Amino acid sequence: MIQKREAHELPSALNQLNELKAQFHGKTPAIFLDYDGCLTPIVQRPEMAVLSDDMRQALQELATVTKVAVVSGRDRQNVAELVQLDNLYFAGSHGFDITGPGGMASEPGGAKAALSALDKADTMLQEKLRQVEGSQVERKRYAIAVHYRNVADDQVEMVRKAVDEVLDSMPELKIGLGKKIYELKPNIDWHKGKAVMWLMEELGLNKGNYIPLYIGDDITDEDAFAELQGQGIGILVGEHDDKTAATYRLEGVDEVRVFLEDLTDSIKKINHG
């Protein structure tokens, strides 16, 4: 049974650092993070989410002491280009497309079968939403993000209606919800949580030496928090519109960076302890 709480009820990961680290039980935490809202602040348009030099350095140093993966709804190539670090793993499209050091490249989850449906849905949505000012239809390899952050409140219903009409005609696709976004994804039982567990297995991290730690801010990250309950640690950044299965909270991107820097020091001590 998945335990869920309101975001404001969660203890701060920074204030309760010692309690959080006690849960490592001498294991090394393997770190999984969302990109938008965790490594960069949420911005008006997705292309404006640029990683700061300080955050990039924090990630790079953390990746010298443990495995670090960015698990994003963005296209894998897009998020890899934004991060610009070759010692990280990248799981794009909610984990349908994964690459990493040593030539790792895999597309688990079986999403290729949905590509033609996504092509068709993209064309339909561009047509339906052409008249809705501020809407943005962003085609990714394994998803279509329909952004309505810049749409007038009284027109958001039109965006949802267009998305529903397309989904009604396409059983190969399903909806995913996020912050001011509707996402059309392959109708397959695969998500960020399954991608995290796939990476844990693929990298040989599930043999008792590592504990998965996931940091995310959005409803799509709840799949990972739920998957890790009882076998890892989930940290919610900020809050979203629902209850959360995370166990700790960080206020924003700056706190994420401070937490990652502290983790690097802690893991060094574990490794040399």
Side-chain angles (χ1 to χ4, degrees):
M1 177 78 179
I2 302 299
Q3 301 288 319
K4 292 204 165 194
R5 288 188 283 176
E6 300 287 350
H8 65 81
E9 296 172 358
L10 298 179
S12 161
L14 286 180
N15 294 346
Q16 304 294 328
L17 258 179
N18 290 336
E19 177 203 288
L20 186 153
K21 288 181 202 171
Q23 295 176 48
F24 296 167
H25 300 298
K27 298 176 183 178
T28 300
I31 313 302
F32 302 87
L33 317 99
D34 188 15
Y35 183 81
D36 296 274
C38 290
L39 298 176
T40 66
I42 295 290
V43 290
Q44 289 294 329
R45 297 182 72 83
E47 62 272 18
M48 293 162 62
V50 177
L51 196 67
S52 72
D53 291 341
D54 286 348
M55 185 65 90
R56 183 173 291 109
Q57 184 168 355
L59 286 170
Q60 185 165 18
E61 291 183 9
L62 182 60
T64 64
V65 295
T66 189
K67 304 293 188 189
V68 180
V70 179
V71 185
S72 175
R74 287 176 179 263
D75 265 351
R76 188 262 315 152
Q77 186 175 350
N78 173 237
V79 77
E81 286 169 356
L82 287 165
V83 175
Q84 297 174 19
L85 291 173
D86 56 12
N87 58 345
L88 268 62
Y89 295 83
F90 294 98
S93 301
H94 303 285
F96 279 120
D97 184 2
I98 301 178
T99 60
M104 173 190 272
S106 183
E107 297 190 347
K112 274 191 176 167
L115 284 174
S116 62
L118 286 164
D119 289 340
K120 195 170 163 189
D122 183 30
T123 304
M124 291 168 72
L125 285 164
Q126 299 279 7
E127 180 66 33
K128 285 175 181 293
L129 294 173
R130 193 182 302 167
Q131 307 302 325
V132 181
E133 193 171 336
S135 67
Q136 183 184 3
V137 179
E138 181 193 4
R139 174 63 200 272
K140 310 173 187 183
R141 176 161 169 79
Y142 285 130
I144 300 165
V146 181
H147 300 268
Y148 60 90
R149 182 174 296 278
N150 301 317
V151 172
D153 289 348
D154 61 355
Q155 293 201 296
V156 170
E157 189 56 41
M158 289 170 64
V159 177
R160 180 65 198 244
K161 186 164 175 281
V163 168
D164 286 344
E165 285 171 359
V166 170
L167 285 169
D168 285 347
S169 66
M170 298 205 155
E172 306 97 320
L173 303 179
K174 65 181 178 182
I175 195 165
L177 303 175
K179 292 182 176 174
K180 303 290 185 185
I181 186 174
Y182 298 123
E183 198 148 40
L184 286 77
K185 305 189 285 190
N187 191 9
I188 297 166
D189 184 22
W190 188 262
H191 49 63
K192 287 181 173 184
K194 288 184 184 283
V196 167
M197 300 321 287
W198 183 90
L199 272 165
M200 288 292 291
E201 185 168 336
E202 194 72 12
L203 300 174
L205 306 180
N206 57 354
K207 299 189 169 49
N209 299 334
Y210 285 83
I211 180 171
L213 187 153
Y214 189 98
I215 304 174
D217 74 307
D218 210 342
I219 290 170
T220 59
D221 298 304
E222 288 299 324
D223 292 320
F225 296 147
E227 196 86 24
L228 292 192
Q229 272 197 4
Q231 55 184 330
I233 298 169
I235 301 177
L236 177 68
V237 181
E239 56 187 48
H240 51 60
D241 295 335
D242 216 338
K243 286 188 173 181
T244 181
T247 40
Y248 292 93
R249 185 171 176 219
L250 290 166
E251 283 297 326
V253 173
D254 288 341
E255 286 201 357
V256 171
R257 181 178 52 77
V258 172
F259 180 74
L260 295 181
E261 289 167 352
D262 186 273
L263 268 186
T264 303
D265 292 339
S266 297
I267 295 168
K268 283 178 181 170
K269 286 174 188 157
I270 292 169
N271 292 348
H272 297 113

